[in-house]
Amino acid sequence: MTVGEGVVGRAVVLEEVGRPTVLREFGVPGAPAGGAVVACGYGGICGTDLHLQQGHLPVPTPLVLGHEGLGTVRELGPGLTHDATGAPLREGDAVMWASSIACGQCPPCRLHREPTLCENRRTYGVNRSITDGPALSGSWADHIVLQPGTTLVRAPEDVPPPAAMALACAGPTVVHALYERRPVRLGETVVVQGSGPVGLAAAAFAQLSGAAKVIVAGGPAGRLRLAAAAGIGDVHLDIAGAADPGAVLDEVRAATGGAGADLVIECAGVPAAVAQGLTLARRGGSYLVVGQYTDAGDTLLNPHQIVHRQLDVIGSWAFSGAHLVEYVRLLPALNARFDLASLVTEFPLAEHARALAAVADGTVMKAVLTSTA
């Protein structure tokens, strides 16, 4: 189906940092060479999007938000014939796409084999301003224009779109952390700090990877109940709502058997959680920090905990297209074991303000904007 002159699309725009988002209309251009135009049926709301709106990360405005999505190919540009796995691409195919394109030329790309650290990374819904064109460069829209170099992969036919969207950003982020940075080893005890989408992705992947026990310490209590009902995690402890967090930390250590976890994965995004997490690993264990994606400030920690425990402390930043491909490949196995769709609450595109408010107050696990374009 050809798009272009006369076709109009709607998109949620952040016109100014700190201001409410607005719904605007834009013309839908044709697909660029090597790229595609996709009808965004689903655009996920990530915690990072709240940080963008609040000015915690520098972004150009005005900006169409949304860096995670699933949609249907409307038009393929010249030269784009296959997805990232080599499967043929056709108009009408359901696809997911990586949020960022690395430049391939800077030192992290060229020398260090670290595309997630690319100095010139272009990210849909984050640093592609409307004024840079094309305007429709975020997934909170009924159309998105994907540029050449975007990792595009066909979505599995046997996984419902809401289930695929449950961990659309968190999933590949954790694939990077657990594949490249510090894998879960068979039989390990794993503690996950945080029970948002990143925390649940970490817990679910740890279970798929053969962890003997996965303990989730997070909150609020409703999120932990939802995780338990979906089959994610073996033990669920509410530290966010605890009058005495120290007592909950003692419960976490007791759940590990007393010695601490082989691997602790920080997914809370709260600086104070880091000092706590260091005390939850066993001597000789590992501490993998994933959740500190925005600079939320400093925290006090005791370096003796690192040395005395002889910890490996590892950071992991974002994900690349290859990590999205692995997430999509794992979706059938994830969906078969866990009730992913139960984590998602859908909102029509026009109700973007209500969806953002629900994410901000923690009343939903994963909000997804939907469009019927």
Side-chain angles (χ1 to χ4, degrees), residues 30-85:
V37 173
V38 174
C40 291
Y42 304 85
I45 298 179
C46 178
T48 301
D49 295 312
L50 293 179
H51 293 298
L52 298 182
Q53 185 187 28
Q54 295 161 3
H56 297 167
L57 287 170
V59 294
T61 54
L63 171 74
V64 174
L65 290 170
H67 58 272
E68 51 181 89
L70 186 153
T72 303
V73 175
R74 291 286 300 273
E75 183 178 279
L76 294 170
L80 182 59
T81 58
H82 294 76
D83 77 355
T85 71

Side-chain angles (χ1 to χ4, degrees), residues 60 62-64 101 122-130 132 137 147:
L63 171 74
V64 174
I101 304 175
R122 298 300 306 278
T123 303
Y124 295 108
V126 176
N127 62 5
R128 290 183 174 272
S129 169
I130 287 171
D132 291 341
S137 293
Q147 298 300 311

Side-chain angles (χ1 to χ4, degrees), residues 4 148 150 259 285 295 356:
T150 303
D295 188 350
L356 278 167

Side-chain angles (χ1 to χ4, degrees), residues 12-16 19-23 53 63 65 140 352-353 356:
V12 178
V13 178
L14 178 64
E15 294 188 325
E16 186 179 340
R19 302 289 297 171
T21 52
V22 298
L23 195 63
Q53 185 187 28
L63 171 74
L65 290 170
W140 294 6
H352 54 93
L356 278 167

Side-chain angles (χ1 to χ4, degrees), residues 266-274 287 289-297 316-317:
E266 185 281 314
C267 304
V270 178
V274 176
Y287 190 53
V289 183
V290 183
Q292 306 295 322
Y293 193 79
T294 58
D295 188 350
S316 185
W317 175 260

Side-chain angles (χ1 to χ4, degrees), residues 354-370:
R354 188 166 69 90
L356 278 167
V359 174
D361 64 22
T363 56
V364 299
M365 175 66 75
K366 181 65 181 180
V368 175
L369 298 174
T370 60

